[in-house]
């Protein structure tokens, strides 16, 4: 795959991550008025709609929906386990983040935390982040050397800048 084509695909998937999160947020807002939303079903419907509209291939949509689910479930687990605000999960200056992204992510994560008991094992398995995947805002820590990689918006996870490792976890405790 040429570097130019890889960049085009990367931008497409990052944009798709943000669109899928936005559409999931809108569906949850609508569902809140009717009944308790089922987060995974909403993401799956959003994924299918993006495929039907030709915005993504089936494979791309599967990847992006897995990334959105992983990030939301990780945030929801943090909220449920610690009782902390989602801002503590991100651990960086919120002024750097677009308010719309914060609002969307927070609503989805808050709703998801209500369903967290069903997903405990899934969230544990999905808490590992791999270079090349797409992630939302936050700080990832290299599994090998502990170096931090900060995201102020959705983006593709690069290999660790310090050691080249490709496995990360989201930072969840204060750095002292």
């Amino acid at each position: 795959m040429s570097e130019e084509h890889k960049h085009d695909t990367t931008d497409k998937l990052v944009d798709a991550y943000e669109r899928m999160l936005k559409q999931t947020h809108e569906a949850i807002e609508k569902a809140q008025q009717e009944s308790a939303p089922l987060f995974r079903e909403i993401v799956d419907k959003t994924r299918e709609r993006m495929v039907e509209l030709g915005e993504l291939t089936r494979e791309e949509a599967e990847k992006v929906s897995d990334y959105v689910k992983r990030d939301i479930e990780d945030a929801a687990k943090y909220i449920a386990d610690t009782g902390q605000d989602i801002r503590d999960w991100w651990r960086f200056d919120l002024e750097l983040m677009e308010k719309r992204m914060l609002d969307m992510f927070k609503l989805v994560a808050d709703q998801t935390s209500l369903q967290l008991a069903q997903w405990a094992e899934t969230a544990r398995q999905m808490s590992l982040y791999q270079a090349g995947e797409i992630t939302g805002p936050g700080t990832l820590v290299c599994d090998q050397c502990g170096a931090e990689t900060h995201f102020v918006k959705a983006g593709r996870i690069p290999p660790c800048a310090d050691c080249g490792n490709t496995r990360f976890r989201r930072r969840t405790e204060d750095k002292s």
Side-chain angles (χ1 to χ4, degrees):
M1 179 182 301
S2 75
E3 195 59 36
E4 183 177 316
H5 180 262
K6 185 177 181 182
H7 180 70
D8 290 345
T9 302
T10 299
D11 290 346
K12 178 181 179 181
L13 295 181
V14 170
D15 291 342
Y17 177 100
E18 291 183 352
R19 284 193 320 274
M20 190 175 290
L21 182 62
K22 180 181 181 201
Q23 290 176 25
T24 300
H25 173 261
E26 290 167 354
I28 286 176
E29 279 189 326
K30 183 178 178 185
Q32 276 183 316
Q33 298 167 2
E34 298 164 11
S35 64
L38 299 174
F39 166 67
R40 285 181 168 269
E41 288 179 27
I42 291 171
V43 173
D44 291 344
K45 286 178 184 175
T46 301
R47 178 193 65 223
E48 293 306 315
R49 188 170 45 249
M50 291 178 89
V51 170
E52 289 169 8
L53 293 174
E55 295 179 20
L56 296 171
T57 66
R58 170 123 352 249
E59 182 180 339
E60 291 169 335
E62 289 289 334
K63 280 183 180 180
V64 172
S65 69
D66 286 347
Y67 300 153
V68 168
K69 288 176 188 176
R70 179 206 55 212
D71 287 357
I72 295 298
E73 289 173 357
D74 194 33
K77 182 178 185 318
Y78 176 80
I79 291 167
D81 288 351
T82 66
Q84 299 286 331
D85 189 88
I86 195 165
R87 289 175 289 216
D88 296 316
W89 179 74
W90 275 313
R91 300 214 186 285
F92 62 83
D93 187 353
L94 292 177
E95 291 176 10
L96 297 174
M97 184 191 295
E98 295 178 33
K99 183 176 178 351
R100 67 173 181 80
M101 183 78 162
L102 171 63
D103 292 344
M104 286 187 299
F105 209 90
K106 185 173 182 178
L107 176 67
V108 175
D110 287 346
Q111 288 300 310
T112 302
S113 66
L114 299 174
Q115 301 170 347
L116 192 59
Q118 302 168 8
W119 305 334
E121 183 59 23
T122 301
R124 188 183 67 76
Q125 292 294 326
M126 294 184 79
S127 67
L128 186 63
Y129 293 71
Q130 296 287 333
E133 293 179 346
I134 307 297
T135 188
T139 300
L140 299 180
V141 178
C142 175
D143 236 18
Q144 186 170 313
C145 74
E148 295 181 350
T149 303
H150 305 278
F151 293 85
V152 296
K153 64 179 190 169
R156 189 170 297 273
I157 303 168
C160 177
D162 289 359
C163 71
N165 184 40
T166 59
R167 294 173 43 150
F168 301 84
R169 296 202 182 274
R170 186 153 313 264
R171 187 172 80 189
T172 57
E173 72 263 354
D174 284 328
K175 187 175 178 181
S176 301

